[in-house]
Amino acid sequence: MLAIGPGDVSAQLVEEVDSIGEVITTRNRYGTPGHALSYDRIVVTTEQFDLSEAWMRQLARHGRLVVPFRLRGATHIIAFERDGEALRSTTSRFYRTDLGDHAGPYGERRAVIDIAGERPLLTWDDDQEINPAELGRCLKRGGGKLEWTGVLVSEEDPLDALWLRLAARESGACHLAGGTGDWIASLAHRHGTPAIVEESTLAYLTLRPSPDSESSIIPDAEPSAERFELGVAAYGSYADTLSSRFAVHVRRWKSATKRTPYITAHPPTTSKMSLPRAPIIDRPDSRIVITC
């Protein structure tokens, strides 16, 4: 197995590897250049914005690549296996959004939106046309739209597939953190919640306690578990339409909880005509398609 990056292989990464055997460790992001080696397992120990072409070359035909991969402001631990010239995910699990005081990986941008004492932090990718200053001006005007979805969740319910669904279907999918709820609606989680930006409009996930926890649509949930209803808060010129569209994503995500999205990484030279008819996330070394 080849481990790329500083530090030890974390337990969450090891769970996706199956078998380890001898471990070769390198800090070189390009693996072991100059060596004609192929590896049954490649584990990357630090969060990545892109998938190096070298990893694809050095991964054995039936090998597995495990990497904490950043997609539209969230990190997912993804296990990839070969699918012809591409890599296709076999498993993925949500890892985190909050990077603390550390800068995001190369290719990500972060900016604080200063409004009436609140300082929510927006994270987005280089390929997205997002203007945080314009969003700040819209948020300062207040108002906005709040739409409740009727979808109930507990604190333990993962939002993995919702993050991936938004990344797959919304070119402005990103990440919002912080805020106090004094000027704009509180975030579903202050450490990070899914958001969508479209021109001068921002929409993001919020929640409120459920008035009737027994009406939860979560199958096999414990009756005593506290429930929350997910909602969408939106501010800007298209607040009505964007909040409604976001709410549709939330409802469809909940109705398709047994269907796991998968991620395919293609070489950067792959023609768009040969790829599925779905939004493509272009990175320097790969073309990413999320199917859900």
Side-chain angles (χ1 to χ4, degrees):
M1 184 186 87
L2 176 66
I4 300 173
D8 298 327
V9 180
S10 73
Q12 291 190 65
L13 293 173
V14 168
E15 286 181 28
E16 303 296 343
V17 175
D18 290 340
S19 61
I20 297 180
E22 180 184 3
V23 178
I24 300 173
T25 303
T26 177
R27 288 175 178 261
N28 190 331
R29 185 179 181 276
Y30 301 101
T32 53
H35 296 272
L37 297 175
S38 62
Y39 299 95
D40 291 329
R41 301 290 185 265
I42 298 178
V43 178
V44 184
T45 63
T46 56
E47 284 157 304
Q48 299 291 317
F49 181 77
D50 199 1
L51 300 177
S52 169
E53 288 185 277
W55 303 341
M56 298 187 189
R57 291 195 305 270
Q58 294 174 23
L59 186 66
R61 183 177 178 184
H62 299 292
R64 174 175 291 185
L65 165 68
V66 180
V67 56
F69 194 46
R70 296 287 288 177
L71 282 167
R72 300 310 196 208
T75 304
H76 302 263
I77 293 178
I78 304 175
F80 288 101
E81 293 184 353
R82 281 198 176 279
D83 184 6
E85 293 297 313
L87 297 176
R88 175 170 167 160
S89 67
T90 57
T91 62
S92 66
R93 68 172 73 178
F94 181 79
Y95 180 44
R96 67 174 180 176
T97 59
D98 185 21
L99 296 177
D101 294 330
H102 301 289
Y106 179 81
E108 271 191 1
R109 299 185 183 186
R110 297 202 288 178
V112 170
I113 303 175
D114 193 357
I115 46 167
E118 293 194 65
R119 294 176 60 81
L121 177 67
L122 190 71
T123 302
W124 72 101
D125 293 347
D126 275 345
D127 67 306
Q128 296 175 294
E129 296 182 1
I130 291 178
N131 185 336
E134 178 63 22
L135 293 176
R137 287 190 286 271
C138 290
L139 290 174
K140 286 177 182 178
R141 290 197 287 268
K145 174 71 181 295
L146 187 59
E147 179 164 338
W148 296 104
T149 65
V151 171
L152 304 182
V153 297
S154 70
E155 290 183 344
E156 292 75 27
D157 283 331
L159 301 181
D160 309 41
L162 178 57
W163 281 95
L164 290 175
R165 180 184 181 85
L166 294 175
R169 305 197 175 201
E170 292 288 346
S171 60
C174 55
H175 164 262
L176 190 67
T180 62
D182 293 333
W183 184 259
I184 60 174
S186 59
L187 278 60
H189 197 295
R190 66 184 182 85
H191 291 303
T193 189
I196 303 173
V197 172
E198 186 166 287
E199 296 184 13
S200 60
T201 303
L202 170 70
Y204 59 90
L205 208 60
T206 185
L207 53 74
R208 65 182 177 184
S210 168
D212 182 7
S213 62
E214 293 185 357
S215 67
S216 172
I217 63 174
I218 305 170
D220 304 322
E222 292 292 332
S224 60
E226 187 175 4
R227 307 286 185 263
F228 300 91
E229 182 183 3
L230 294 179
V232 178
Y235 300 87
S237 306
Y238 307 107
D240 287 346
T241 56
L242 193 57
S243 62
S244 296
R245 199 166 78 221
F246 200 142
V248 169
H249 285 307
V250 173
R251 295 184 186 108
R252 289 181 177 173
W253 156 73
K254 195 59 186 179
S255 66
T257 51
K258 294 184 179 180
R259 189 165 62 237
T260 303
Y262 63 89
I263 302 98
T264 310
H266 301 266
T269 55
T270 305
S271 168
K272 289 186 178 181
M273 299 295 293
S274 65
L275 296 178
R277 296 190 57 147
I280 298 168
I281 300 175
D282 274 328
R283 302 284 165 85
D285 278 354
S286 59
R287 307 195 96 165
I288 307 298
V289 178
I290 305 172
T291 305
C292 56

